[in-house]
Amino acid sequence: MSIEMVAPAWMHSQITAEQYDSWSEEQCAGIEIVDGMVVVSPSASKRHNRLARILANGLDSAAGQGWNADTDFDVRLQDVPLTNRRPDVVVYRSDTIDVTPTRPEHVLLVVEVVSPGSETTDRVVKVDQYAKAGIAFYWRIEQAATGVPIVYTYILDPATRSYRDGEVFTGIVTATVPFPVEIDLGIV
């Protein structure tokens, strides 16, 4: 006897922003929407989650009163076709904490922690989407074989809506932009 797995109907057709906005938080967890299609993300490793949490805590402390840093929520990059990304860390304007959906104009910095299976998406696809949406800063964290994370930073060129390379940090992030911050990621 075999059990046939049948994917829900919404996985086979584009969904609208209105449809997505009617879903519960539980239905939205662990997915992103790209060009109206649901993309299921595998569960992150403990190391991945710890890196994101340490970074979010450090950014939140350094950002000052005008900004918050958090993990695990959507950023609505566009309404039609719907594109929602769920960056590993988001630094957003504190006065938008109750605004849903979070939009690019609310966001200062997004961070992605690269995991096996997300390499191309985090290194190529998302960087392009975030730049075209106008998010000023993008950081990508690579989990090096040495166990010491490498942080690549990017700064938006508003004229071209593309990122230029910023600084690269190994283990300890000592960035001056978008605000001064020092975070030791080597303790993971």
Side-chain angles (χ1 to χ4, degrees):
M1 176 195 260
S2 70
I3 298 176
E4 222 176 289
M5 296 296 290
V6 178
W10 51 261
M11 290 187 80
H12 299 290
S13 59
Q14 284 188 318
I15 63 165
T16 66
E18 294 77 24
Q19 288 170 313
Y20 184 79
D21 292 343
S22 73
W23 292 0
S24 70
E25 280 187 41
E26 292 79 22
Q27 290 172 299
C28 298
I31 64 169
E32 293 180 314
I33 310 296
V34 180
D35 294 330
M37 300 302 291
V38 174
V39 177
V40 178
S41 301
S43 295
S45 70
K46 290 183 279 187
R47 177 175 297 280
H48 176 283
N49 290 339
R50 182 161 169 76
L51 277 169
R53 184 172 45 82
I54 290 170
L55 192 62
N57 290 346
L59 289 168
D60 197 55
S61 294
Q65 291 185 330
W67 300 98
N68 294 335
D70 277 312
T71 60
D72 201 32
F73 66 88
D74 290 341
V75 175
R76 170 101 21 114
L77 300 180
Q78 67 185 36
D79 288 311
V80 179
L82 179 62
T83 299
N84 278 359
R85 287 296 190 177
R86 191 171 282 248
D88 293 313
V89 179
V90 180
V91 176
Y92 61 96
R93 288 191 351 241
S94 58
D95 63 349
T96 65
I97 194 166
D98 294 318
V99 175
T100 303
T102 299
R103 297 199 177 266
E105 58 268 21
H106 305 149
V107 176
L108 178 64
L109 164 69
V110 292
V111 180
E112 294 290 354
V113 178
V114 178
S115 295
S118 74
E119 295 94 338
T120 301
T121 303
D122 291 342
R123 294 175 186 155
V124 179
V125 177
K126 287 183 179 181
V127 69
D128 183 60
Q129 290 176 334
Y130 294 145
K132 284 186 174 34
I135 296 173
F137 297 92
Y138 176 69
W139 291 5
R140 188 184 82 238
I141 301 178
E142 297 281 345
Q143 300 182 63
T146 62
V148 180
I150 302 170
V151 180
Y152 296 88
T153 68
Y154 301 90
I155 303 165
L156 183 68
D157 176 345
T160 63
R161 289 280 179 141
S162 62
Y163 289 113
R164 63 178 171 79
D165 291 346
E167 296 181 272
V168 177
F169 303 100
T170 303
I172 299 176
V173 177
T174 55
T176 57
V177 293
F179 42 78
V181 63
E182 184 172 323
I183 304 167
D184 186 355
L185 295 178
I187 61 174
V188 177

